[in-house]
Every structure is written in structure tokens, then in C-alpha cells.
Amino acid sequence: MTTIVLDIAAFRVAVDAFADATTYPDALITQYWAQATCHVSDSSYGRLSVACRTLAIQYMTAHLLRLRDLINSGAPSGQVTSASED
């Protein structure tokens, strides 16, 4: 079983919204990659190929970084505060 490791250069190419190393330093991407692997396993097993699993972790990392940006900007978080039926 292969463990997928972070390749920051490949992440910045795959998700070019995070290409700016000043705004998104390597340490920040590393931190959010670690969080992403709580949602998408970095162990290569099952139906996803290594390439697809790597992309899934990259996208989860990008998703978490984007949520961070939204929260830091004061944008509504999308949290559900109430619901009704019918």
C-alpha cells in the first residue's frame, strides 16, 4: 500500500487558485493537506488509483483552504441555523 505524500508544486499546478506562495505559503498548504487526509485517506487502496486519490486529496485541501478564506473574510459560512419541513 502506497502512502500519498504532498507535492506542493503539483498541488499549485492542479489548483492554480493557490499558486501564490506569498498568500498561500508552503506551511499553510501542508497544514491543510494534513486536515484533508482526515477526510480522504492518503493510503492508496480500494477503487481509486493513486492519481485519482492524489487529486481527491488536492481538491479537499483546496476546499478547506477556500473555507478558511471565506471565514477570514467575514463571508457567511453557509451554516444552517434553522430548517422547516414542507
Side-chain angles (χ1 to χ4, degrees):
M1 192 174 337
T2 303
T3 299
I4 299 166
V5 296
L6 171 60
D7 178 342
I8 291 178
F11 172 79
R12 291 184 192 282
V13 169
V15 193
D16 64 352
F18 301 101
D20 183 353
T22 302
T23 305
Y24 301 100
D26 292 356
L28 182 66
I29 292 173
T30 301
Q31 174 187 352
Y32 279 82
W33 175 276
Q35 290 180 27
T37 61
C38 291
H39 302 282
V40 179
S41 176
D42 59 354
S43 296
S44 178
Y45 68 92
R47 301 187 126 197
L48 288 177
S49 67
V50 172
C52 290
R53 186 171 296 279
T54 300
L55 188 59
I57 300 170
Q58 289 171 335
Y59 285 169
M60 179 56 78
T61 302
H63 174 72
L64 295 171
L65 282 165
R66 178 68 179 137
L67 288 176
R68 170 196 168 268
D69 289 349
L70 288 171
I71 291 167
N72 287 344
S73 73
S77 65
Q79 182 178 18
V80 175
T81 56
S82 67
S84 62
E85 194 171 311
D86 293 340

